[in-house]
Amino acid sequence: DAGVIQSPRHEVTEMGQEVTLRCKPISGHNSLFWYRQTMMRGLELLIYFNNNVPIDDSGMPEDRFSAKMPNASFSTLKIQPSEPRDSAVYFCASTRELGHNEQFFGPGTRLTVL
Amino acid sequence: RKEVEQDPGPFNVPEGATVAFNCTYSNSASQSFFWYRQDCRKEPKLLMSVYSSGNEDGRFTAQLNRASQYISLLIRDSKLSDSATYLCVVNRPTNTGFQKLVFGTGTRLLVSP
């Protein structure tokens, strides 16, 4: 079975540009999570969805960040406009249901904002 | 203060050595505890859960002390392939009624021949 799929794997963009990261969770998983990882702050939860509904977006750093989950098999994280401090690895993870403890992570998108 | 604190390391050990990592958490409402492993430039993966009574999986032993809010991971007979970053993870309730995972920043282990 395919795991969590993320695209693109690498993104280099210039400050001020819009960036869209994509995620396809594991089929049958009802919960989806977006994380950001940096050396200084580690892995931070940005937002999570349950049955396509956003549950908690308190980790989203600013209004420049937005996330959607239009259906059970697709989610996007958008940054507009991007800034150099947004440079990080962005992971998407899914789990069968909220409260189920094992989260399965995608390979991540390495974002560099120049 | 971070909710989950770990020594970042790196821990440099020779093959065959025993190494232990510690982790503390600040939220006493935390209910479940885990160790995840992350290889360089890869995604985190669940290594093992941590139970109150302590649990073992091959060369790996995890222990929990709820009173001290302290979690440990012991690796015996270290292998080169154990080189990775080990993330301490805590699952705690939120005001949404759901639980969420909180990750430590990780402890890096380097096993050398």
Side-chain angles (χ1 to χ4, degrees):
Chain A
D1 286 340
V4 175
I5 298 172
Q6 290 187 247
S7 65
R9 295 292 305 276
H10 301 273
E11 176 81 24
V12 180
T13 191
E14 291 187 344
M15 184 173 63
Q17 296 298 306
E18 178 179 297
V19 175
T20 299
L21 311 181
R22 297 173 176 80
C23 176
K24 176 177 167 50
I26 293 172
S27 178
H29 282 193
N30 295 327
S31 300
L32 182 142
F33 306 79
W34 281 102
Y35 290 90
R36 176 173 68 177
Q37 187 174 39
T38 60
M39 287 291 291
M40 291 298 295
R41 300 171 68 95
L43 202 60
E44 301 174 282
L45 178 63
L46 301 177
I47 184 172
Y48 61 101
F49 296 83
N50 190 52
N51 293 322
N52 313 338
V53 176
I55 301 301
D56 185 347
D57 66 354
S58 60
M60 298 284 262
E62 300 173 32
D63 291 345
R64 299 183 296 106
F65 286 69
S66 62
K68 293 181 180 179
M69 192 164 186
N71 57 63
S73 59
F74 183 66
S75 177
T76 58
L77 178 67
K78 187 175 293 188
I79 309 173
Q80 166 64 13
S82 58
E83 296 183 3
R85 61 194 167 117
D86 301 332
S87 298
V89 181
Y90 290 80
F91 287 104
C92 175
S94 71
T95 189
R96 198 168 299 280
E97 58 191 40
L98 274 180
H100 195 268
N101 294 314
E102 182 170 9
Q103 292 185 9
F104 295 83
F105 284 75
T109 295
R110 186 171 294 273
L111 173 65
T112 302
V113 184
L114 303 174
Chain B
R1 182 188 172 191
K2 291 178 182 172
E3 189 168 346
V4 179
E5 299 236 36
Q6 296 182 250
D7 180 343
F11 284 58
N12 291 286
V13 303
E15 255 185 307
T18 295
V19 62
F21 307 136
N22 303 318
C23 166
T24 57
Y25 61 96
S26 60
N27 193 323
S28 59
S30 300
Q31 298 179 348
S32 307
F33 310 89
F34 313 91
W35 286 99
Y36 273 65
R37 170 190 167 132
Q38 186 173 21
D39 292 301
C40 188
R41 303 181 80 85
K42 298 285 190 179
E43 70 274 19
K45 293 182 180 179
L46 179 65
L47 176 66
M48 62 192 300
S49 301
V50 186
Y51 302 121
S52 296
S53 55
N55 51 298
E56 191 174 303
D57 183 2
R59 298 180 293 108
F60 299 82
T61 300
Q63 293 198 314
L64 167 66
N65 184 321
R66 284 188 187 268
S68 301
Q69 297 182 193
Y70 171 96
I71 305 159
S72 66
L73 177 68
L74 182 79
I75 305 176
R76 291 182 300 277
D77 189 23
S78 300
K79 311 291 185 193
L80 295 177
S81 57
D82 294 335
S83 296
T85 296
Y86 291 83
L87 306 172
C88 177
V89 185
V90 169
N91 192 359
R92 66 158 172 85
T94 68
N95 55 16
T96 65
F98 293 101
Q99 298 181 356
K100 75 172 190 180
L101 294 184
V102 180
F103 287 76
T105 52
T107 298
R108 192 169 171 213
L109 172 65
L110 299 172
V111 182
S112 54

